[in-house]
Amino acid sequence: MLKKSVAVFLLWMLMTAVYAQQNPPLSVDMSAQHLSLAGHVNFYSDKSAAATFKQARLADYQPVDGFPGGIYSPDAHWYYFTLAKTGNIPGDWILALGASFLDDIQVWLEQADGHFEHYQLGDHTPFLQRPLPSRLNALPVALTDDRPVRVYVRIHSISTLAFNAALWQRDAFWVNQAQYNFFHGLYFGVLIIVIFIHVCFGLWLGQTALLAYAGYVAALLVLYLGINGYGAILVTPKAIWINDAITGIGTIGSVYFILFMWDQLLQLKQHFPRIHRFYLAGWLITASTLPWMTTPFYRILAPVLTQFAVASSFFSLGLLIVLWLKHKQTELLFYLLAFVITTFSGIAQISIHNNWMPQNIVTTNIYQASSLIHIVIMNMGLAWRIYRLKQQKNVAEHQAVTLKQRSIEQRHFVAMLSHEFNTPLAAIDRTANLLQAKYSSLSQQEAARLADIRTSVTHLTSLVNSFLLSEALDHQALTPNREPCPVKPFMLEIIASLGYEAKARVDLTVTPPTGAFELDKRLINIAICNLVANALKYSTSGTKVTLAVTISADTLDLRVSNQTKALSEEELALLGTPYFRASTAVKIKGIGLGFHFSREIIRAHGGTLTPFNGLSGEFTVQVFLPEFESTTES
């Protein structure tokens, strides 16, 4: 009997010594509506994550000050604390355990008869199966006067193992949640409005940077829905893994859009092309982590991505300062201030995850609160950016009007000059003709000079007439006089007018040979002469030029093809611009107006003129004319 008493006494002394090293129980009274368990929690880390409740009760718990910072770990973390009722107070309380995004939270709550009731919580527990309908991991606690209540909590998650606990009076808990939900609703509403505004302005202004920022804010919205427990309310009970996906998409998406946004805001492709490629690699690597967001690999990826995002933000802030020193653009200062705030709040988050900073209501919510300040400053920068773009647009519009007016004045001047040239050119031609007729005994050299004079006058007269014709077509002062025309004889006349070389080198095919089409012979003669003459001039010496015409009931398709060097896409787009000459015309005389005149004539007929490189190495110009539709006024 004595031995048994000694053994009981020694066991009691041992337990007293063990529990004397642990944090004291939480004394519950009516002095506050809620009580934090900071300073009353004892901690044990299960490295195998396989310990049972029976084994965990016998483990060596260590007292912790406050709540341990969240870390990414495959361990299962156990917490033990005691709740002791003091005084005549209500016995119904609510125990709230965090964080909301933890996957698996198991609670063993001591009941009045001494046994432990097991509760399953965490965002893997369907919302409708939770002890209380709350976004938080909460359960009811009944406190009695006769004995304290012991509580064991086990948490295990692929996300950070951030833990906190508080005891609430029942009514105070629901009032607090209503207030919390109201303010979070306002916060999420602000984020949605910001996303909508940036998407609208991004599409309206064609600014990819604004769309990238909208993506960044959208990722933050998804992230905050997940980490604050609202994701569990939104998803169906059968798709519990979506809770992990919401948080994962928010985390990975925010890193992805941070990189994308910095690249667009700083215009890295233009200012820092090598760094742009580095950011591009960061996008691809970040996007490639999405399939792992609901797996245990997320424990490794999340902290790496978070630290990478903070490091890239510091680097981007440095580039931002460089650009501001170079360009002195005011909106860059807004961006600098906005991202300095979020960068340092991101450092605070990393510090909490690595236990470098204590976890409390301020440090836990610092990133979320700083995001709102960041958004306000960024929108001030957006407003300034829009103001500057509007000013630039007004200046550009004014310059465009000025250039257009100058262009019109220039064309009027050229048209007037061309008109005034006609009279002296005709006089020169008549004089040269009279000299040739009167002095038949001219030397060969003198006769050749007179012939050159007449040839130059003819060329210049043709050019002047083309200017006048183009001016008339541009102002719709000249309407094509279309009439039925046998096509093959007309094409033969054009080839003959171009001289002996054209007759020898141009291969003409007309399908059907007897076909006719309504067109203005005088205008089309000028257009086709220009196209065939260009084909002869710019083709390889001695090669054939193909003139193929296909006539149908309501269209005419004419194609002029020659063998020459292919034009680039840029040159094809510019072909037809007044005075533009392609690379194939560098060593050949010309002023770059023939194709332009031809195109205007074809347009006046309601047709199109299209140049393209053929598959067999030839260059082709296609003329397409639709059937003439006459209108009759009644």
Side-chain angles (χ1 to χ4, degrees), residues 177-223:
Q177 287 307 295
Q179 294 173 343
Y180 195 94
N181 293 336
F182 173 75
F183 287 111
H184 262 81
L186 291 179
Y187 181 77
F188 293 143
V190 169
L191 295 186
I192 292 172
I193 292 172
V194 168
I195 294 168
F196 177 76
I197 291 175
H198 281 76
V199 168
C200 290
F201 277 109
L203 295 175
W204 176 43
L205 299 175
Q207 292 285 312
T208 311
L210 298 181
L211 297 175
Y213 187 71
Y216 169 67
V217 178
L220 289 182
L221 173 63
V222 174
L223 176 62

Side-chain angles (χ1 to χ4, degrees), residues 97-154:
L97 304 169
S100 301
F101 53 80
L102 292 170
D103 296 339
D104 179 44
I105 301 179
Q106 298 186 55
V107 182
W108 286 266
L109 183 64
E110 188 176 21
Q111 303 299 305
D113 58 2
H115 83 280
F116 284 87
E117 186 76 20
H118 176 252
Y119 294 89
Q120 179 65 57
L121 300 171
D123 70 1
H124 282 190
T125 302
F127 181 74
L128 297 178
Q129 297 179 17
R130 296 184 178 184
L132 293 175
S134 170
R135 64 177 186 85
L136 297 179
N137 299 296
L139 67 156
V141 175
L143 300 180
T144 59
D145 296 327
D146 54 346
R147 61 182 301 168
V149 175
R150 290 177 294 170
V151 183
Y152 290 87
V153 181
R154 177 189 184 272

